[in-house]
Amino acid sequence: MAIPNEGETIQIHSYKHNGRIHRVWQETMVLKGTKNIVIGANERTLVIESDGRTWITREPSICYFHAEYWFNIICMLREDGVYYYINMSSPFVYNNGMLKYIDYDLDVKVFPDMTYTILDEDEYEQHKKEMKYPEEIDGILDRNIEKLISWIKQRRGPFAPDFIEAWTSRYHFHKQLNE
């Protein structure tokens, strides 16, 4: 598998289990790229939905993708703190300037005080039937939600106190290089 280079701009492609494109983020700057982890940042980037609708992200975000875990984490930097939006998803793959994953509907929203809520359980159940998710997906997602919650409680990974500061600083460094 190819690895994106630090400072490179890539697209992020989210798919559904049936292979159809779900959403595309046009431009994300790579801050770290290894075979297991990609950390990126974007700000006011164009997002294209599967139905053709478009919108632009409102705030700067640091994005965390892992090749072993079934979730990705979007850290949204807002005036009143960092909000986290986690997509329960397949591990990522990267090729041809595109980071790709399958979105499995369930989402977790984490607030600046580290309280959290699980979202879209009804959407997961509906798509599980419609797209015939294999039975083992339930177990995989359950285990990964448990791991994610332990990260939140232990302030690990993107939830660590210094994570946002370190990667925001790296993002500003690369932005200045590109100006």
Side-chain angles (χ1 to χ4, degrees), residues 97-131:
M98 294 176 279
L99 184 144
K100 302 173 184 179
Y101 65 90
I102 298 170
D103 181 299
Y104 278 103
D105 314 309
L106 292 171
D107 301 307
V108 180
K109 186 171 184 180
V110 182
F111 300 90
D113 66 358
M114 292 297 145
T115 58
Y116 61 88
T117 184
I118 298 173
L119 306 170
D120 301 328
E121 292 169 292
D122 53 342
E123 183 180 342
Y124 174 77
E125 290 301 325
Q126 178 186 344
H127 286 165
K128 179 179 168 179
K129 289 176 191 148
E130 289 175 4
M131 295 183 219

Side-chain angles (χ1 to χ4, degrees), residues 9-28:
T9 299
I10 64 171
Q11 289 186 342
I12 298 172
H13 289 213
S14 169
Y15 292 85
K16 287 299 186 179
H17 183 80
N18 61 9
R20 291 198 176 118
I21 192 78
H22 173 55
R23 186 173 287 141
V24 174
W25 288 260
Q26 282 296 105
E27 293 184 354
T28 295

Side-chain angles (χ1 to χ4, degrees), residues 10-170:
I10 64 171
Q11 289 186 342
I12 298 172
H13 289 213
S14 169
Y15 292 85
K16 287 299 186 179
H17 183 80
N18 61 9
R20 291 198 176 118
I21 192 78
H22 173 55
R23 186 173 287 141
V24 174
W25 288 260
Q26 282 296 105
E27 293 184 354
T28 295
M29 180 185 291
V30 176
L31 305 176
K32 177 179 181 172
T34 70
K35 69 181 179 89
N36 284 329
I37 294 174
V38 172
I39 298 174
N42 59 49
E43 182 174 4
R44 301 202 46 78
T45 193
L46 178 67
V47 180
I48 304 166
E49 300 287 342
S50 60
D51 63 5
R53 288 181 300 124
T54 62
W55 52 280
I56 295 180
T57 60
R58 290 191 306 246
E59 61 266 314
S61 296
I62 304 294
C63 313
Y64 176 93
F65 298 90
H66 204 287
E68 294 176 6
Y69 301 125
W70 285 62
F71 53 80
N72 60 68
I73 303 169
I74 312 303
C75 315
M76 298 171 290
L77 314 178
R78 296 184 178 160
E79 286 184 21
D80 62 335
V82 179
Y83 290 77
Y84 302 84
Y85 198 87
I86 298 96
N87 297 295
M88 300 309 296
S89 65
S90 68
F92 80 89
V93 295
Y94 176 79
N95 60 24
N96 297 327
M98 294 176 279
L99 184 144
K100 302 173 184 179
Y101 65 90
I102 298 170
D103 181 299
Y104 278 103
D105 314 309
L106 292 171
D107 301 307
V108 180
K109 186 171 184 180
V110 182
F111 300 90
D113 66 358
M114 292 297 145
T115 58
Y116 61 88
T117 184
I118 298 173
L119 306 170
D120 301 328
E121 292 169 292
D122 53 342
E123 183 180 342
Y124 174 77
E125 290 301 325
Q126 178 186 344
H127 286 165
K128 179 179 168 179
K129 289 176 191 148
E130 289 175 4
M131 295 183 219
K132 298 178 179 34
Y133 294 173
E135 198 146 312
E136 56 264 28
I137 294 292
D138 282 342
I140 291 169
L141 294 178
D142 286 346
R143 286 189 300 279
N144 279 270
I145 286 174
E146 284 178 25
K147 170 152 304 281
L148 176 68
I149 290 170
S150 78
W151 280 21
I152 295 165
K153 290 179 177 176
Q154 296 170 24
R155 307 292 196 269
R156 290 189 54 213
F159 307 103
D162 58 347
F163 180 90
I164 295 299
E165 186 177 320
W167 293 107
T168 301
S169 174
R170 176 71 68 148

